[in-house]
Amino acid sequence: MDKEWINLDTFIASTVERIGDYAFESYEHGKNWRMKAASIGKNVKIIGKCAFRHSAIRALKKEENIVIGNENTVIDDEAFEDVSFSGGITIKAQRIGDKAFAEATVSDECNMILDDGVTEVGNSAFSSARNLIIGKDSNIEKVGERAFEKMNLACNDGNVFVTPRKLKNIENYAFSEAFVRSSSVFDRETKCKRIKVSEGTERIGDYAFEKNQYTESVILPSTLTEIGEGAFQECPALTSISIPSSVKKIGDGAFDRATITLEVEQNSYAALWASENGYKYRYQGVTEDTSWLNP
């Protein structure tokens, strides 16, 4: 079994509606199952828990992505955790479970593409995975904690990353350390320097965008009401950010005091918060600096 490559397109019948839990799971580091496919579960409703965990899967044709699921598929928890894909993948699903693609990898210069039809992404779903693309017209409505942390998330609107337009709540650590793409083979990096949080978003959770060292600017929406603790900490290139007057709550250490100037509206909650927490801030051409509060 560990020498022969199984063709999943013929091995899984077109009438199958569910791939069971642990169906093709391999022993960690052993990768006993070796599979090839043009698609996985194109007619199934559920890809079960840990169904392909630790496996190795290659595309039938090098120039084509493996298509996983369909618009009605539920990909359960850890289904493709630590899977090594030779080639790229396109993920079509309605819901993606916790750690479903955590630590999964694709070949150098290839990508994971998240179809616009995906509506829910679970906790740590793509944590420490590699080279993910989320379209600017994504219909994601719910993103779990640590969903995209420590991975290579690509820009989706020129040199800007735009968060999903239907996402009201950005959970804790969701995009922590997420915006550096690199290739060890070619020793290069493509850096996302600008992030746009879409209109309609109401909350940015704790540490949601922390440790994105190349982020130079962030655009916040007029619908935003809360910025969590440490949300933009350890982002040294982010030296200025405009906070809308709609914001009524900001957590401790949301920004790096030493490097950032907060653009605020006079008499707004953000202006009061900045003055009380020792930040440099600016409104209507006037700059105030209360950093002396934090010697």
Side-chain angles (χ1 to χ4, degrees):
M1 191 68 73
D2 59 347
K3 294 183 179 180
E4 184 177 348
W5 288 80
I6 298 170
N7 187 336
L8 291 175
D9 293 280
T10 56
F11 193 80
I12 301 174
S14 61
T15 55
V16 171
E17 293 187 351
R18 179 188 178 102
I19 298 174
D21 297 351
Y22 308 97
F24 296 94
E25 183 191 31
S26 294
Y27 294 109
E28 189 172 5
H29 307 305
K31 292 184 167 60
N32 304 64
W33 289 92
R34 297 196 300 172
M35 293 159 277
K36 56 185 179 179
S39 63
I40 300 173
K42 64 180 178 180
N43 295 315
V44 304
K45 295 179 181 178
I46 298 175
I47 298 177
K49 182 178 179 181
C50 305
F52 294 90
R53 187 167 63 170
H54 307 314
S55 297
I57 305 174
R58 73 182 186 191
L60 286 180
K61 296 181 180 180
K62 289 183 179 180
E63 67 275 12
E64 293 182 359
N65 277 10
I66 301 170
V67 179
I68 298 176
N70 59 71
E71 62 273 12
N72 298 311
T73 301
V74 172
I75 299 176
D76 212 339
D77 299 347
E78 303 171 63
F80 293 90
E81 183 183 13
D82 188 37
V83 170
S84 174
F85 293 98
S86 296
I89 60 174
T90 298
I91 303 166
K92 291 190 174 184
Q94 184 180 67
R95 182 172 67 83
I96 297 172
D98 297 348
K99 299 180 70 175
F101 290 87
E103 299 186 53
T105 61
V106 293
S107 298
D108 289 313
E109 303 301 299
C110 292
N111 296 298
M112 298 181 184
I113 300 173
L114 201 60
D115 185 78
D116 288 346
V118 176
T119 60
E120 183 176 341
V121 178
N123 297 330
S124 301
F126 292 91
S127 178
S128 299
R130 180 167 164 178
N131 295 9
L132 182 68
I133 296 175
I134 302 174
K136 65 178 181 178
D137 295 321
S138 169
N139 287 294
I140 295 174
E141 298 176 2
K142 183 178 179 181
V143 165
E145 291 190 0
R146 303 182 184 273
F148 305 108
E149 72 165 352
K150 296 182 179 178
M151 68 164 309
N152 307 327
L153 191 54
C155 295
N156 55 14
D157 188 13
N159 64 349
V160 181
F161 176 78
V162 181
T163 63
R165 59 186 178 178
K166 294 184 178 181
L167 191 60
K168 289 186 176 182
N169 185 21
I170 297 176
E171 288 288 356
N172 301 343
Y173 297 93
F175 295 96
S176 170
E177 206 171 349
F179 296 99
V180 178
R181 305 184 67 210
S182 64
S183 168
S184 58
V185 175
F186 296 96
D187 192 28
R188 66 177 180 82
E189 295 176 337
T190 303
K191 304 163 181 135
C192 181
K193 296 183 178 181
R194 191 176 188 188
I195 298 169
K196 181 179 180 180
V197 180
S198 294
E199 284 292 325
T201 300
E202 297 174 359
R203 176 181 176 270
I204 295 174
D206 297 346
Y207 308 98
F209 292 95
E210 67 159 358
K211 297 180 181 178
N212 288 306
Q213 60 178 316
Y214 298 111
T215 301
E216 295 178 355
S217 64
V218 175
I219 300 173
L220 299 178
S222 62
T223 52
L224 191 67
T225 61
E226 181 178 345
I227 299 172
E229 179 179 335
F232 295 94
Q233 74 170 10
E234 295 187 59
C235 297
L238 182 61
T239 57
S240 177
I241 187 169
S242 180
I243 304 178
S245 58
S246 57
V247 172
K248 303 302 179 186
K249 183 179 180 180
I250 301 175
D252 293 341
F255 314 96
D256 293 331
R257 286 191 185 91
T259 56
I260 201 162
T261 299
L262 304 179
E263 302 286 346
V264 300
E265 293 189 29
Q266 189 175 13
N267 300 322
S268 66
Y269 169 84
L272 178 61
W273 182 87
S275 68
E276 292 180 345
N277 286 273
Y279 281 82
K280 187 177 181 180
Y281 61 101
R282 181 166 47 235
Y283 59 89
Q284 295 179 343
V286 177
T287 299
E288 302 282 356
D289 188 351
T290 57
S291 59
W292 56 270
L293 291 172
N294 299 279

